[in-house]
Amino acid sequence: MRDGRCLRNHASRIGDTIAASLRSRWCAPAAPARSRGTKMSLNIRKHLLASTVLIGLTALAPVAHAQDATPATEEESPESGDIIVTGSLIRNPNLEASSPINVVSETELQLRSITSSEQVLRELPGVVPGVGSQTNNGNGGFATVNLRGLGAQRNLVLLDGDRLVTANQLGTVDPNNIPVALVQRAEVLTGGASTTYGADAVSGVVNFITRKDFAGVLAQATNQITEQGDGNIFTADLTIGANFDDGRGNAVLSLGYQEADPIYQGARDISIFEINGLSGRGAGSSATSVPTTVTIGGVRSQLNPAGTLLVPEYAGFNFNPFNIFQTPFKRFNIYAAANYEVSDTIELYTRAAFSKNEVATIIAPSGIFGEALTIPGNNPYLPAGVRDQLCTSAGIALGTACNTNAAIPLSAVFRRTVELGPRISDYTTTFFDYRAGARINISDTTRLDVSASYGESDLVQIQSGYVLRSRVQQALNANNTTTCTNTANGCVPLNLFGAQGSILPEQAAFIAGESTITIKNQLSQVRAILTGDVGSIFSSGAESVSYAIGAEYRDYGYERLPDVLAAIPGELGGAGGAVPRFAGSYDVKEVFGEVIAPIIADTPFFHSLTLEAGIRYSSYNVEAASSPSFDSVTWKAGLSWEPVQDIKLRGNYQRAVRAPNINELFSPRNILLTNLAIDPCQGTRPVGNAGLTAVCLAQGAPAATIGRIPAPTAGQAQSQQGGDVNIQPETADTFTIGAVISPGALFEGFTLSIDYYNIIVNDAITAPTPADAINACFGATPATVSAAAAQTAACTNIRRSPADGSLSGSPTNTFGLPLLLSNTGRLATDGIDLTANYTRTFGDIGLNLTFIGNWTNNLRFRSLPTSVNRQCVGFFSVNCSPDNGQIAPEFSFQQRTTVSFGPADVSLLWRYIHPVEYEPGLTPLFSGTITGTTPLVGTTENFNTIGAYHYFDLSTRFRMNENFELIGTVTNLFDRDPPLTGSNVGSTGANSGNTFPATYDVIGRRFSITGRLTF
């Protein structure tokens, strides 16, 4: 059943009209069974042709130039350019900082056939997945990195130690703008780095380091496809570099192109039908379905199959097959860099990066989501029986008064407009970032580095397939089938009371709308760093004391420009609320200093003893009406001790202060969707309970709805969200201590590092979770809430639908849960990182073993002083993870075994994810036999637990000659299926397709081949 033919086998289940719409947008035309379809076949042929041409070029590549493109070494010599030491501003290659760093090598990137930078980071042990290619609903057209699970806004993504322009109002950088082809390694420093890089680096940094002095040509292409024949990914890169003027200068240009096809949830057994996480039933659950549902007398009633009367709800909507597991994208990158030694004293350098990204998210069709409308009694599409039911409910006398009434009220209308096809958001981002600077050698040991940069990231989001509420109301106001009462805009009367397909093409065209949102980010930077050393002060055998002092200025700007349709609450059906226009900016002036001081060297029990310290002062000015400003000081102290040459002990303590970002300062208060599976007021829970009834009424539920308030639609509730210009910085204390062991002669080729980390963020800028907002009002046991609670702000700030009392409804009148940002949160995590490497040659056979593991002891999150100090390690729910609801396992590791013989390498990567459970204290999830209409009916499942997961990826590399090599990779070698958890058990962005696609492999076994040509 794992079929990648873009829902062709499932068209009868989701409707021929819907399937045709999906195909026309992202798939090939319908084809006979087992046919791949015209467009996909042409794409594959095109990509395979490009790979074939690349392979063919090996015959023309002159062997004499094979060594010109030799990769740079791990540390550049002073003559070859800048020295980059992640975690320090000091550029002394003989000194090491005390902070632990994990390195992802160029070889690792090649063996894994990486097509985007985000992909490799997401799978690293200790990294919680951020937004990426497996995020559909909730993907804003960019990727993020979430180190330690503390939030993407609390770490930095750097390129050669420098900041890039941000991708959004959170201040995060899209790692997919990094030129993968030129990356020599990626260094991940987990632990505070604010003293070195600024306030954002609370949980660490990811530093992509490019190759220096590249000379030659590197052309490579990769094609990947799943075993099911879908999800094709193609990448191609061309890098050209050369030295000039007798080696005084170097210039490099790298071009890259990446393209990916979507993988629909309807093409996998696990996700073709939504399976309710509480009941285990596979079926549609959304009240916005077909045929139309209307709330009358506080009860949701659906048009019967005969189309004559409203009856109790009976058919929810299955939105799963429209959604996608792999977001389609097209990306074009250009990267250029150059440096030139004007003299022995002055070196000029420059770097420019450009990227154009096109990302699409695809979700189920739009509709009318609980909007209050009216309809005239003589509307030709209004069944007489339904008309009489509506009039009776509204207190309108039957007969002439009802039949001629100009505006019979429809208190809340739900209708899925499948005739419009899926909702598609096309995100096009144009990114550029330019830096230029000069390195001035003041003396043999002292250098001044002055640079400036400017970057912009402009994102245009085009939303299509959406219903316009105003057009729906206009089209309902009609007394015949050809003309509306108001004929403006070419109005076509709308048939709202029919089966799927009753909305004719001309009707669909009138109520459909397209909306555009433009987002602009800009970052200006100026920086000067003076580095040098003052010689050996403490011991004649020790290295020189090195220092770095400097100043930096950064100016951030952000602007969001929605069109009129996006800015009106509820106008775009299913858009999740209005998109208000807002802009914000702030600047920061900083001075900083660092020192690494070797104390003792080459004495008994002190092969070396080194002290490290740093401090940074920052002054922020926020451009707002009240002109808020704040100052902060961050500092660090570290110590490294080698009692003998083969053992190094290290520790580091940092005080980090993170300033609020533009979203936290300026984001307007808005009504947006959140996740909630159970509402304390739903169903019969309040019946006979005076206290609970009083609270539900105080929150806006009509008295007639008590005892029949619906559960949140599709596990989603409305919520009040937004920032505050008075938010202050948050403070973090980070501590790491560890050891590096390299036994040398005792165990040649072996190194081991183990580090304990501890990060605590106080006054954290956070929003309450849905459970926090519910518990603040109802307590841990809602059945025992007192009537007095109905008068508290914690309860009255929750606002319900005036139609049916639920927390789902139109954003114009259902405000939901209060989830506003504040400085009242606290975050804490601690754990251990372990890395080990063993390299040995046995005759003609080489062996390389690597291990990266993480054990997380705690990941605690508390949004309010009175809320639960929630433990999220090893648990999943809508409340866990302070950032995006992704899973943080207690233990995870990656182990790679590579055997080399002659021109060939064979490598096996083993990835492990520890078991996780549903968050304790919540209503347990389903455990039993699956029912309903899913291919998984009859299987026995326990949604409360996810067992241990082992994935294996096999790679082979063959050097055909000195110029060309082939790399083949099989990912998910044993085709391990993802865990079935049901829906509504996590956040919308994390829990999709009845599983967690960013943590577990939902795509299945897939194959890739890469050709690399150098000369």
Side-chain angles (χ1 to χ4, degrees):
M1 181 64 78
R2 282 188 173 180
D3 192 342
R5 283 167 287 163
C6 289
L7 309 182
R8 291 184 190 115
N9 283 356
H10 312 306
S12 61
R13 302 184 187 182
I14 63 174
D16 293 338
T17 302
I18 307 168
S21 174
L22 288 172
R23 294 189 199 108
S24 66
R25 182 63 178 86
W26 286 107
C27 305
R34 295 298 175 190
S35 169
R36 290 290 301 121
T38 304
K39 180 177 179 180
M40 179 67 77
S41 299
L42 288 176
N43 280 343
I44 294 174
R45 292 190 193 109
K46 175 183 66 176
H47 297 156
L48 291 178
L49 177 61
S51 302
T52 304
V53 171
L54 179 59
I55 294 172
L57 287 174
T58 58
L60 304 177
V63 177
H65 298 285
Q67 302 301 316
D68 290 349
T70 301
T73 58
E74 285 288 302
E75 289 184 335
E76 306 298 329
S77 65
E79 290 78 14
S80 68
D82 196 20
I83 306 297
I84 299 170
V85 181
T86 301
S88 177
L89 297 172
I90 294 171
R91 302 305 199 237
N92 187 336
N94 298 317
L95 298 176
E96 295 183 10
S98 59
S99 298
I101 296 172
N102 283 332
V103 178
V104 181
S105 68
E106 181 182 14
T107 298
E108 180 69 17
L109 296 174
Q110 293 172 6
L111 290 175
R112 298 182 68 169
S113 299
I114 293 300
T115 57
S116 65
S117 301
E118 170 269 333
Q119 179 184 348
V120 67
L121 297 173
R122 168 167 32 98
E123 297 175 352
L124 283 177
V127 176
V128 174
V131 175
S133 59
Q134 269 69 58
T135 305
N136 181 37
N137 196 348
N139 188 323
F142 50 81
T144 62
V145 179
N146 186 4
L147 298 181
R148 303 299 190 203
L150 295 177
Q153 70 272 34
R154 295 184 177 89
N155 50 242
L156 283 176
V157 174
L158 307 173
L159 180 60
D160 290 327
D162 296 324
R163 290 174 178 255
L164 297 171
V165 64
T166 56
N168 51 58
Q169 68 268 35
L170 295 175
T172 65
V173 170
D174 186 350
N176 290 330
N177 289 320
I178 303 296
V180 177
L182 206 57
V183 171
Q184 182 186 33
R185 65 189 187 275
E187 297 187 342
V188 182
L189 184 155
T190 51
S194 293
T195 303
T196 302
Y197 299 110
D200 315 77
V202 172
S203 59
V205 300
V206 178
N207 190 11
F208 291 92
I209 298 175
T210 58
R211 285 183 275 181
K212 304 296 186 295
D213 290 351
F214 180 90
V217 176
L218 168 62
Q220 61 183 16
T222 298
N223 204 85
Q224 174 182 292
I225 197 163
T226 73
E227 190 173 73
Q228 310 308 314
D230 57 3
N232 184 60
I233 299 177
F234 173 76
T235 70
D237 298 280
L238 175 65
T239 303
I240 303 172
N243 297 315
F244 57 89
D245 196 9
D246 294 328
R248 297 174 66 89
N250 174 267
V252 64
L253 173 67
S254 183
L255 308 176
Y257 176 77
Q258 304 94 42
E259 179 180 352
D261 293 337
I263 296 177
Y264 287 92
Q265 292 183 7
R268 299 293 186 268
D269 280 0
I270 191 174
S271 52
I272 184 172
F273 278 90
E274 181 210 2
I275 301 176
N276 188 283
L278 294 172
S279 69
R281 183 172 184 270
S285 68
S286 174
T288 305
S289 187
V290 181
T292 297
T293 295
V294 181
T295 299
I296 55 174
V299 179
R300 291 179 185 171
S301 302
Q302 194 168 17
L303 187 70
N304 64 8
T308 57
L309 292 172
L310 294 173
V311 298
E313 280 185 288
Y314 62 90
F317 185 76
N318 177 34
F319 47 76
N320 268 31
F322 301 88
N323 294 338
I324 51 180
F325 276 140
Q326 177 174 287
T327 54
F329 67 83
K330 294 181 181 179
R331 184 180 301 118
F332 178 64
N333 304 93
I334 302 176
Y335 177 86
N339 60 279
Y340 181 69
E341 295 178 4
V342 178
S343 66
D344 293 340
T345 304
I346 300 175
E347 179 188 21
L348 303 179
Y349 63 92
T350 185
R351 180 266 295 159
F354 171 85
S355 179
K356 184 174 183 180
N357 305 328
E358 297 178 8
V359 178
T361 60
I362 308 169
I363 58 178
S366 179
I368 307 167
F369 291 80
E371 294 293 335
L373 301 168
T374 63
I375 189 169
N378 59 357
N379 183 293
Y381 295 117
L382 178 62
V386 174
R387 179 187 61 207
D388 290 348
Q389 286 178 293
L390 295 173
C391 286
T392 299
S393 175
I396 302 171
L398 299 182
T400 303
C402 175
N403 300 345
T404 60
N405 193 290
I408 299 174
L410 305 172
S411 59
V413 178
F414 302 84
R415 210 289 192 176
R416 186 74 63 162
T417 51
V418 294
E419 295 86 351
L420 272 66
R423 286 168 285 174
I424 299 176
S425 287
D426 286 304
Y427 300 90
T428 301
T429 301
T430 304
F431 162 96
F432 78 86
D433 195 279
Y434 178 76
R435 176 175 289 274
R439 302 184 185 102
I440 303 171
N441 295 322
I442 298 174
S443 68
D444 291 341
T445 60
T446 305
R447 184 173 67 174
L448 177 65
D449 188 335
V450 180
S451 64
S453 71
Y454 179 77
E456 291 184 1
S457 179
D458 293 343
L459 182 150
V460 177
Q461 177 189 2
I462 299 177
Q463 302 178 101
S464 59
Y466 282 84
V467 170
L468 303 183
R469 180 193 181 281
S470 61
R471 291 284 185 95
V472 169
Q473 182 60 76
Q474 182 184 356
L476 288 178
N477 292 331
N479 53 28
N480 62 73
T481 60
T482 57
T483 58
C484 305
T485 303
N486 177 359
T487 60
N489 306 311
C491 181
V492 180
L494 174 65
N495 181 7
L496 199 60
F497 295 93
Q500 180 176 317
S502 61
I503 297 179
L504 302 176
E506 60 270 22
Q507 298 174 355
F510 175 72
I511 63 173
E514 185 174 282
S515 175
T516 301
I517 302 168
T518 301
I519 295 175
K520 299 181 178 182
N521 292 270
Q522 67 85 22
L523 173 61
S524 303
Q525 304 178 75
V526 179
R527 184 177 64 190
I529 304 175
L530 181 69
T531 59
D533 66 65
V534 294
S536 179
I537 297 177
F538 300 98
S539 171
S540 59
E543 291 280 346
S544 297
V545 174
S546 297
Y547 66 88
I549 57 174
E552 186 170 358
Y553 172 80
R554 298 190 302 276
D555 187 350
Y556 295 86
Y558 173 89
E559 187 175 19
R560 185 170 69 189
L561 303 168
D563 63 11
V564 174
L565 297 178
I568 299 174
E571 178 65 9
L572 297 173
V579 180
R581 176 173 181 167
F582 85 95
S585 63
Y586 67 89
D587 63 67
V588 55
K589 305 177 185 69
E590 298 179 314
V591 292
F592 48 82
E594 289 188 22
V595 62
I596 295 180
I599 308 297
I600 306 174
D602 298 326
T603 63
F605 303 107
F606 288 94
H607 179 72
S608 72
L609 180 66
T610 302
L611 175 68
E612 177 184 351
I615 190 169
R616 178 180 289 251
Y617 168 79
S618 305
S619 177
Y620 292 84
N621 292 286
V622 179
E623 294 187 19
S626 57
S627 298
S629 62
F630 38 83
D631 300 335
S632 66
V633 175
T634 64
W635 56 271
K636 68 176 180 179
L639 187 69
S640 299
W641 172 39
E642 292 180 282
V644 294
Q645 186 173 359
D646 297 337
I647 300 176
K648 176 183 178 180
L649 306 177
R650 60 190 179 189
N652 190 289
Y653 180 88
Q654 301 207 24
R655 164 61 62 92
V657 179
R658 185 183 76 88
N661 57 46
I662 287 175
N663 180 71
E664 294 159 344
L665 288 169
F666 297 104
S667 179
R669 295 195 176 189
N670 198 11
I671 307 303
L672 301 171
L673 291 173
T674 189
N675 296 98
L676 186 69
I678 297 175
D679 177 357
C681 292
Q682 74 185 48
T684 59
R685 294 167 188 257
V687 177
N689 186 323
L692 186 55
T693 297
V695 171
C696 299
L697 293 174
Q699 294 171 348
T705 65
I706 298 300
R708 48 194 183 185
I709 292 175
T713 299
Q716 293 183 314
Q718 298 286 16
S719 65
Q720 309 154 42
Q721 301 182 33
D724 187 340
V725 293
N726 295 312
I727 283 180
Q728 296 295 303
E730 57 187 25
T731 303
D733 294 292
T734 71
F735 172 68
T736 61
I737 186 170
V740 180
I741 301 171
S742 49
L746 295 177
F747 197 175
E748 183 180 354
F750 177 76
T751 60
L752 172 73
S753 69
I754 182 170
D755 292 277
Y756 170 79
Y757 62 88
N758 187 300
I759 304 173
I760 297 175
V761 184
N762 291 306
D763 301 323
I765 304 169
T766 59
T769 68
D772 291 337
I774 292 293
N775 292 343
C777 168
F778 296 93
T781 53
T784 62
V785 68
S786 68
Q791 307 302 317
T792 64
C795 286
T796 58
N797 285 341
I798 297 175
R799 304 312 302 164
R800 298 181 172 275
S801 166
D804 58 20
S806 74
L807 292 172
S808 302
S810 170
T812 62
N813 56 27
T814 305
F815 303 146
L817 305 176
L819 306 180
L820 300 172
L821 290 167
S822 70
N823 272 114
T824 58
R826 186 179 190 273
L827 306 170
T829 186
D830 70 298
I832 293 175
D833 288 327
L834 176 68
T835 64
N837 294 277
Y838 177 64
T839 302
R840 192 71 182 269
T841 300
F842 303 91
D844 294 331
I845 298 177
L847 175 66
N848 180 256
L849 303 174
T850 64
F851 178 91
I852 302 175
N854 170 263
W855 172 70
T856 303
N857 182 42
N858 284 294
L859 176 56
R860 292 192 174 272
F861 166 51
R862 188 187 69 202
S863 63
L864 301 167
T866 56
S867 64
V868 175
N869 190 19
R870 187 166 281 105
Q871 170 67 281
C872 286
V873 171
F875 299 114
F876 63 93
S877 76
V878 299
N879 305 304
C880 263
S881 181
D883 183 41
N884 56 5
Q886 299 286 3
I887 291 175
E890 181 181 2
F891 183 52
S892 59
F893 68 74
Q894 295 179 3
Q895 193 279 317
R896 180 177 290 281
T897 300
T898 303
V899 178
S900 303
F901 42 92
D905 300 327
V906 178
S907 186
L908 182 69
L909 177 65
W910 173 19
R911 296 179 283 131
Y912 172 78
I913 304 172
H914 203 59
V916 296
E917 300 177 356
Y918 191 57
E919 182 186 351
L922 302 180
T923 301
L925 301 177
F926 172 79
S927 180
T929 302
I930 302 298
T931 60
T933 53
T934 166
L936 303 179
V937 166
T939 62
T940 300
E941 301 286 348
N942 182 1
F943 291 170
N944 296 279
T945 62
I946 300 175
Y949 262 71
H950 302 262
Y951 292 108
F952 295 90
D953 305 333
L954 179 65
S955 300
T956 59
R957 176 164 55 184
F958 186 78
R959 288 169 287 277
M960 301 181 69
N961 57 40
E962 293 183 273
N963 299 91
F964 185 76
E965 66 180 17
L966 280 176
I967 302 172
T969 300
V970 182
T971 304
N972 195 357
L973 180 65
F974 300 110
D975 199 23
R976 181 75 191 271
D977 289 331
L980 178 63
T981 64
S983 63
N984 308 329
V985 303
S987 69
T988 300
N991 174 216
S992 181
N994 302 314
T995 188
F996 286 80
T999 300
Y1000 302 98
D1001 191 324
V1002 295
I1003 297 175
R1005 186 186 294 121
R1006 50 201 179 273
F1007 309 91
S1008 67
I1009 186 167
T1010 300
R1012 288 171 52 87
L1013 172 66
T1014 60
F1015 57 88

